[in-house]
Amino acid sequence: MKKTVQRILLTFIVSSLFLTACNSRTNEENTSNEENLTINSSKQEVTADESNNRDSQDSTRDNEGVDAMKDIRIKLTLNNGDVIVNMYDNPTSKDFLSLLPLTLTFEDYGGTEKISYPPNKLSTKEAPSGIDPKIGDFTYFAPWGNLAIFYKDFGYSNGLIKLGKIESGKENIENVHGDFTVHIEKVD
């Protein structure tokens, strides 16, 4: 009986020492993590301030909080009229703009969007994992490498990146049927 009590007591002491050592290490890690969070938070504040200053100079925000490039618009010329798109400030949009002028054939997809394939895949650097497209969104679907212009709302889609938003002429996209040719160029 005395030996059993000694073993229990010894087990208790060893367990207590072990838990104390683990707790001490966890406290050190937590303190280190808190310091890192404080340092990173300070860096983010500086970065956010710098970013906000740059954004206010180079772009404007739309009502969804997406940066639009200041005065960068493209014109899509169709048989039944023009569509003007205000481009967003992201690497994918900039990559697309570098391809212009461009003539592409679009087709209807799913009664929701008009799609076409640019000659090259576009950059997906800094792209979100996906978006919830709305009517008038000019987008790039990275998994397939196609442009998509939404004339109806659609649900969240992984791999979809906003390039811009139609400013005028939405009806010209919605009302065209079958395959159609579009000439795309920058507007001054």
Side-chain angles (χ1 to χ4, degrees), residues 81-153:
D82 293 338
V83 176
I84 303 297
V85 176
N86 190 14
M87 297 300 288
Y88 291 151
D89 190 2
N90 63 51
T92 311
S93 293
K94 290 174 183 174
D95 197 17
F96 175 73
L97 289 169
S98 74
L99 300 175
L100 301 182
L102 194 59
T103 301
L104 298 170
T105 300
F106 279 78
E107 63 184 82
D108 192 80
Y109 185 79
T112 304
E113 61 194 283
K114 306 293 184 175
I115 67 168
S116 183
Y117 293 85
N120 304 324
K121 289 214 174 206
L122 303 178
S123 168
T124 57
K125 182 180 176 187
E126 299 176 21
S129 60
I131 62 165
D132 185 5
K134 305 287 183 223
I135 295 172
D137 283 344
F138 182 69
T139 65
Y140 177 68
F141 187 57
W144 291 357
N146 67 281
L147 301 172
I149 305 170
F150 286 85
Y151 62 91
K152 290 189 179 173
D153 283 344

Side-chain angles (χ1 to χ4, degrees), residues 2-188:
K2 193 174 182 180
K3 250 183 179 183
T4 304
V5 171
Q6 286 177 342
R7 283 185 186 171
I8 292 173
L9 190 56
L10 183 60
T11 303
F12 178 75
I13 292 171
V14 170
S15 297
S16 296
L17 289 173
F18 177 74
L19 290 174
T20 303
C22 288
N23 189 32
S24 174
R25 183 166 182 220
T26 302
N27 286 339
E28 288 172 10
E29 288 174 355
N30 286 341
T31 302
S32 176
N33 287 339
E34 287 172 10
E35 289 170 1
N36 286 339
L37 286 174
T38 303
I39 290 168
N40 288 337
S41 178
S42 297
K43 285 181 184 177
Q44 287 174 352
E45 287 173 16
V46 171
T47 304
D49 288 343
E50 291 169 359
S51 176
N52 288 338
N53 288 338
R54 186 180 66 246
D55 289 346
S56 64
Q57 294 168 4
D58 299 338
S59 62
T60 57
R61 287 201 177 260
D62 75 354
N63 59 1
E64 296 173 354
V66 178
D67 286 334
M69 283 188 264
K70 191 172 188 174
D71 299 325
I72 302 292
R73 291 179 175 76
I74 60 171
K75 178 170 74 170
L76 287 67
T77 304
L78 298 78
N79 285 339
N80 65 336
D82 293 338
V83 176
I84 303 297
V85 176
N86 190 14
M87 297 300 288
Y88 291 151
D89 190 2
N90 63 51
T92 311
S93 293
K94 290 174 183 174
D95 197 17
F96 175 73
L97 289 169
S98 74
L99 300 175
L100 301 182
L102 194 59
T103 301
L104 298 170
T105 300
F106 279 78
E107 63 184 82
D108 192 80
Y109 185 79
T112 304
E113 61 194 283
K114 306 293 184 175
I115 67 168
S116 183
Y117 293 85
N120 304 324
K121 289 214 174 206
L122 303 178
S123 168
T124 57
K125 182 180 176 187
E126 299 176 21
S129 60
I131 62 165
D132 185 5
K134 305 287 183 223
I135 295 172
D137 283 344
F138 182 69
T139 65
Y140 177 68
F141 187 57
W144 291 357
N146 67 281
L147 301 172
I149 305 170
F150 286 85
Y151 62 91
K152 290 189 179 173
D153 283 344
F154 191 73
Y156 181 87
S157 298
N158 283 321
L160 196 59
I161 304 164
K162 284 187 185 183
L163 301 178
K165 184 81 170 175
I166 294 178
E167 188 175 281
S168 65
K170 285 181 199 175
E171 65 283 353
N172 294 332
I173 289 290
E174 184 178 356
N175 295 331
V176 68
H177 301 287
D179 294 358
F180 58 100
T181 301
V182 177
H183 180 72
I184 307 170
E185 60 189 340
K186 290 182 190 176
V187 177
D188 293 328

